[in-house]
Amino acid sequence: MPSPHPLPLAAGPPAAGPAVPAPRTRTWVPSGPLDVRLTVLPLRRGGGDPTFRITPDGAVWRASRTPAGPGTLRITGTPAALEGQAWGPGAEWLLDALPGILGAHDDPAGFVPRHRVVQHAHKRHPGLRLARTGLVLEALIPTILEQKVTTTEANRAWKLLLFQHGEPAPGPAERMRVMPDARGWALIPSWDWHCVGVDNKRASTILRAVRVGARLDTFAALSPLEAAARLQTIPGIGPWTTAETLQRTHGDPDALTVGDLHLPHHIGYALEGTRRSSDEAMLRLLAPYAGHRHRAARLILLTTHAPPRRAPRLAPNPPTRHS
């Protein structure tokens, strides 16, 4: 079945000046339905994320700091034939990771919709896959920034920090940035954290994480259970942060986000019609999807509405998430 939202084939590589080197390329053909946008959008941190862009020609751009160095990846084509172009020292690494980023390692075997809502979503989005980046530090830092603040605040801090302390993305990706390496994060002065609205607790957690340095990305080779245990040895990193990280680094289909202010209410409203719910109720409702609870939650979020609000929206900086 073709994807309901095919990624249109771009007309060709963007115009670039003579100083831009030719990209390295790779063509990859998925083995089944694939919705590229739905698969990669969880990797974006807000509409202004300087590491992620979808251009009018349909191309998906990502700027990453890989174990081999900074790199830029551009994905074009249709689910029948996708092409990756990459620039920078991390180009080969990104091209090797391309299938995983597009959900090649995602195995939905054993996933059986148990609710009408989930069954409808599953039929409507056959091309949904769970991305696997293999880049733990890249997923972990913006997730820490999201602890106990609104998503808008966290995305703003991520954007400002990358423009202040990151570096231009390799290749022709205008105004895209590669995040700092572990040492670069460690050297950010306390005043800069304060200026972008990051409190001392979150900044300190990031500094503890980057002390682990390049070893963090080796966690991608571990099972989700082992990686979760290693991550939670870092003070300030708990189940919420771990789940949000493993969803992106491992494409873990069972990494359900527990400790979120909104998710239990959304799941409860979709499956039971209750306006207010709890983590315990959410876990009970999603128990039939053991092994695929995150997949079930994503499908529910794609096709249902959150419960109606009974009060005005919270002002910025409410406590919304655990660690």
Side-chain angles (χ1 to χ4, degrees):
M1 180 183 295
S3 168
H5 302 290
L7 187 71
L9 181 65
V20 177
R24 300 186 182 188
T25 64
R26 173 180 182 174
T27 299
W28 180 68
V29 178
S31 59
L34 174 64
D35 188 317
V36 175
R37 282 185 176 85
L38 285 185
T39 299
V40 301
L41 276 176
L43 307 180
R44 182 180 71 176
R45 306 291 181 155
D49 185 352
T51 71
F52 187 104
R53 180 180 301 163
I54 298 179
T55 50
D57 62 7
V60 175
W61 293 77
R62 291 196 73 235
S64 296
R65 185 168 296 280
T66 77
T72 303
L73 175 66
R74 180 177 184 257
I75 305 168
T76 61
T78 70
L82 291 159
E83 180 177 344
Q85 297 174 306
W87 295 262
E92 285 296 334
W93 194 97
L94 287 170
L95 292 176
D96 288 343
L98 176 65
I101 293 170
L102 295 174
H105 305 302
D106 183 26
D107 183 6
F111 177 70
V112 180
R114 305 286 185 179
H115 298 83
R116 183 177 299 176
V117 167
V118 180
Q119 185 179 43
H120 170 72
H122 189 49
K123 288 183 177 180
R124 185 176 175 184
H125 299 290
L128 173 66
R129 295 290 177 264
L130 303 180
R132 176 178 177 175
T133 67
L135 295 171
V136 178
L137 191 63
E138 175 187 88
L140 180 61
I141 289 180
T143 301
I144 294 171
L145 290 175
E146 291 177 358
Q147 292 176 356
K148 297 186 167 116
V149 298
T150 63
T151 301
T152 299
E153 288 177 277
N155 290 343
R156 175 182 176 274
W158 171 247
K159 177 181 178 179
L160 292 176
L161 287 167
L162 262 62
F163 276 113
Q164 292 173 13
H165 299 283
E167 62 182 273
E174 294 183 4
R175 289 189 59 77
M176 293 188 71
R177 306 289 286 182
V178 176
M179 75 172 197
D181 59 12
R183 184 172 182 273
W185 286 110
L187 291 176
I188 295 176
S190 59
W191 178 251
D192 283 2
W193 292 108
H194 174 75
C195 285
V196 301
V198 178
D199 57 74
N200 183 64
K201 183 176 181 181
R202 287 179 292 150
S204 296
T205 300
I206 290 173
L207 294 177
R208 285 190 292 266
V210 299
R211 289 192 191 106
V212 181
R215 287 181 292 150
L216 272 176
D217 281 336
T218 66
F219 294 0
L222 303 176
S223 71
L225 188 63
E226 293 173 311
R230 296 281 186 91
L231 284 171
Q232 291 184 51
T233 62
I234 301 172
I237 296 178
W240 185 90
T241 304
T242 300
E244 289 284 317
T245 300
L246 296 183
Q247 289 165 10
R248 295 166 172 85
T249 60
H250 289 65
D252 184 356
D254 201 45
L256 181 64
T257 304
V258 175
D260 194 88
L261 178 63
H262 304 292
L263 184 63
H265 307 315
H266 197 136
I267 299 297
Y269 186 66
L271 299 185
E272 285 189 325
T274 55
R275 290 174 180 264
R276 304 294 295 174
S277 192
S278 64
D279 282 335
E280 291 74 17
M282 178 177 69
L283 290 169
R284 171 180 56 81
L285 288 169
L286 295 180
Y289 303 101
H292 293 274
R293 293 176 300 174
H294 169 53
R295 188 190 311 280
R298 275 214 67 195
L299 287 167
I300 291 168
L301 292 174
L302 280 173
T303 54
T304 62
H305 297 290
R309 294 178 179 269
R310 291 185 172 181
R313 289 181 178 271
L314 293 174
N317 204 28
T320 59
R321 299 175 176 88
H322 298 306
S323 64

